[in-house]
Amino acid sequence: MGTEALTRLAEERVDHRFKGLPPDAAGLTVAELAAQRRNLFRDGDGFTTPVLALSAERLEHNLALMEAYTARHGLAFAPHGKTSMAPQLFHRQIEHGAWGITLAVPHQVRVARAFGVQRVFLANELVGAPALRWIAGELAADPEFRFVCYVDSVRGVELMDAALAGTARPVDVVIELGAGEGARTGVRTEAECAAVAAAVAAVPTLRLVGVAGYEGEVPGADPERVRAYLRRLVALAAGLDKDGRFDEAAEIVVSAGGSAWFDAVADVFAGIPELSRPVLKLLRSGAYVSHDDGHYRRLTPFGRVPEEGALEPAFRLWAQVVSRPTPEQAFADAGKRDAAYDLDLPAAQVVRRDGEERPATGITVTGLSDQHTWLRTEREADLAVGDWIGFGLSHPCTSFDKWQLIPVAEADGTVVDYIRTFF
C-alpha cells in the first residue's frame, strides 16, 4: 500500500496549487519535473520567489546521524511526523531504522496509514468516538498494524471503552505522566496514574502497555529538572510493572523525547531497570529531519555533547528584493504565509546576484507582513532590487505546513526531488 501511494504522489500533476514552482511546469507530473533536474537559480528554469528548498545533502546527513545516535544508545525511534507531515520523509525515516512514526491527531494517522505506515505512536489522548471506531477498523483489517496512544484520566478510559465496545482487538495505551504543574496534558500524581491503570485493566477494549511523557514541557526546563522528570517516568513504569499492570503486554513501552532534550532521555533510559517484560525505549524527536537555524539549533543536544555529531539546518527560504525605498530599508517578497515566525524571525544568510553568492552582511530581518519581509540594511550592505536572499528559518514545525510541494535541491541548486506535505 505504501509503495503504491508514493508512486501516485510522483504521478500528481504540477499546477497552481504549488507555489514557487515554474509556471511552465504546469501539467507535468512531479516525477517528470524532477527528472528535468531544473536549477533553482537559473532564470530559464523558471522557479519563482518566494520558494522554500530542502538541502538534499543535509537532509541525508540528518537522517543518518539520528539513525546512528539511536542505535548507539539502544533506543527505538518513532520520530514525530507532525513536524513535516510528509509521507516520503516518513518512509525515509523508517528506511533509516525508525520503529514507526509518532503523530498527534487522527487526521495525521489517516495520512500515515494511507501511505502504508505500520507502526503509529499517537502522542496525545484520543477520546472521540468516530476516530476511535476508525482506529478499531484499521486494527481489525490489518493484523500487522501497531497503534499506541496516550490516556491520562479515568473519564478518558470510559469514553474510549464506550466507543470501542465490541471491537476485536484492544487498543494499546500508555499512561501519560504530566511534566509538572502548569504543564500540558498528562496525569499529575502517581496516585492518579494508579487509578487510570486500574480503569484500563477493568475494560476489555484497552490494553496498558507502558508509560510516556514529554520532557520539553517541564517548567523551567534545565538538565537537572528534565532528568528528574524522566527518572520519575521510569519509576512509574517500574511501579506499575511491580503491580502487574503490564501482564497483558508483550513488551513495556517507556517513551519520551522532543528535539531539545533527547540526550537526557538517552542518559536516563540507559538506567531503566530490568522489568518483567522487554522494554521498548521509544524516542520521539522529530524536528531533526530538517533541523533549523534558530530555536532547535540553540537547544540541540548535540551542542551539549559535541562528540555525538551535529545536525545541519536543511531549510532555506529564497525571496527576491522587490523594493529598496531608503538606504536603510529593503523589502523581499516572502512573508508570514511563507516563513516560520512563531518563535524567531528568519535570518538573512546569503545574497545572490548574477549567479554569484555572498554572505548577507549588514542585512537584518526586523519583521514580517503577510507577503513581505522587512529588512534593515547597514552601510556595508550591498543590496539591490532583484537580488535573491536566502533565509535560515526557525522551528521546522511551522515551516513544512506552509508549503505543499517542496523542492529538494543539491548544493548548486539542482532540484532532484519534491516533497509533498499533508497538513
Side-chain angles (χ1 to χ4, degrees):
M1 177 173 64
T3 302
E4 293 175 0
L6 290 174
T7 299
R8 288 196 296 275
L9 284 184
E11 295 170 348
E12 191 169 12
R13 297 286 173 179
V14 175
D15 59 22
H16 59 275
R17 292 171 295 166
F18 307 126
K19 57 186 180 180
L21 300 190
D24 70 344
L28 296 176
T29 67
V30 172
E32 289 168 344
L33 180 56
Q36 292 180 355
R37 295 177 63 87
R38 299 195 189 196
N39 192 285
L40 283 174
F41 310 122
R42 224 170 14 230
D43 283 347
D45 285 359
F47 287 93
T48 63
T49 55
V51 59
L52 181 69
L54 267 172
S55 163
E57 297 89 352
R58 291 184 170 195
L59 179 61
E60 179 57 33
H61 167 85
N62 292 343
L63 289 165
L65 183 67
M66 282 300 285
E67 178 182 18
Y69 180 88
T70 53
R72 186 162 58 248
H73 290 278
L75 299 169
F77 191 31
H80 213 316
K82 72 173 179 63
T83 303
S84 69
M85 282 310 296
Q88 292 148 285
L89 295 183
F90 293 171
H91 281 271
R92 289 190 66 177
Q93 290 169 312
I94 291 169
E95 289 165 2
H96 277 272
W99 171 90
I101 299 296
T102 296
L103 297 163
V105 293
H107 157 71
Q108 295 171 357
V109 182
R110 291 184 62 196
V111 173
R113 289 297 289 158
F115 288 89
V117 175
Q118 286 294 85
R119 291 174 176 167
V120 170
F121 187 98
L122 185 72
N124 205 351
E125 284 69 26
L126 181 60
V127 297
L132 284 162
R133 288 194 292 265
W134 178 79
I135 291 293
E138 290 291 294
L139 291 168
D142 184 355
E144 301 301 315
F145 177 40
R146 179 86 191 275
F147 176 83
V148 182
C149 71
Y150 284 176
V151 65
D152 74 350
S153 67
V154 172
R155 173 61 174 162
V157 171
E158 293 170 348
L159 290 171
M160 295 181 78
D161 182 54
L164 295 167
T167 54
R169 286 177 63 186
V171 170
D172 287 346
V173 296
V174 292
I175 293 176
E176 182 194 8
L177 178 66
E181 290 305 317
R184 204 162 54 189
T185 54
V187 181
R188 293 311 198 241
T189 70
E190 278 70 10
E192 291 173 304
C193 289
V196 173
V200 172
V203 300
T205 56
L206 303 177
R207 176 170 54 199
L208 186 64
V209 298
V211 299
Y214 175 46
E215 74 290 343
E217 281 288 310
V218 170
D222 61 24
E224 182 178 347
R225 289 186 177 94
V226 166
R227 282 173 170 79
Y229 166 72
L230 292 167
R231 288 192 291 269
R232 187 180 166 210
L233 183 67
V234 168
L236 175 63
L240 291 171
D241 186 46
K242 183 179 179 181
D243 293 339
R245 291 307 188 188
F246 302 131
D247 286 354
E248 301 300 318
E251 62 184 0
I252 298 170
V253 178
V254 182
S255 179
S259 295
W261 296 102
F262 56 78
D263 56 335
V265 175
D267 289 347
V268 174
F269 281 15
I272 293 177
E274 185 175 346
L275 301 179
S276 66
R277 282 152 178 74
V279 177
L280 184 72
K281 303 174 184 178
L282 194 62
L283 183 71
R284 305 193 308 270
S285 310
Y288 82 98
V289 69
S290 62
H291 197 39
D292 73 355
D293 276 293
H295 181 69
Y296 286 118
R297 193 171 197 177
R298 293 192 298 271
L299 294 174
T300 175
F302 291 117
R304 293 188 291 270
V305 193
E307 60 269 25
E308 296 274 18
L311 294 168
E312 297 178 352
F315 268 138
R316 181 164 279 174
L317 176 66
W318 290 97
Q320 194 167 28
V321 177
V322 294
S323 179
R324 190 82 160 93
T326 73
E328 297 80 27
Q329 194 175 37
F331 292 87
D333 61 353
K336 293 178 181 179
R337 312 296 186 211
D338 314 300
Y341 65 97
D342 60 322
L343 292 179
D344 299 299
L345 288 169
Q349 294 178 329
V350 295
V351 175
R352 289 188 65 90
R353 180 190 299 165
D354 299 329
E356 299 294 325
E357 188 171 297
R358 54 184 167 78
T361 305
I363 302 171
T364 304
V365 177
T366 61
L368 293 174
S369 298
D370 283 354
Q371 297 294 173
H372 287 97
T373 303
W374 292 60
L375 302 169
R376 183 178 70 244
T377 54
E378 308 298 335
R379 181 174 299 177
E380 66 271 26
D382 176 15
L383 194 65
V385 170
D387 289 350
W388 280 39
I389 303 179
F391 296 95
L393 300 176
S394 176
H395 204 204
C397 297
T398 55
S399 294
F400 279 100
D401 64 357
K402 300 178 185 301
W403 297 83
Q404 295 183 59
L405 195 60
I406 303 171
V408 179
E410 295 178 338
D412 67 353
T414 300
V415 177
V416 296
D417 199 2
Y418 295 84
I419 299 295
R420 185 71 157 94
T421 65
F422 291 85
F423 279 91

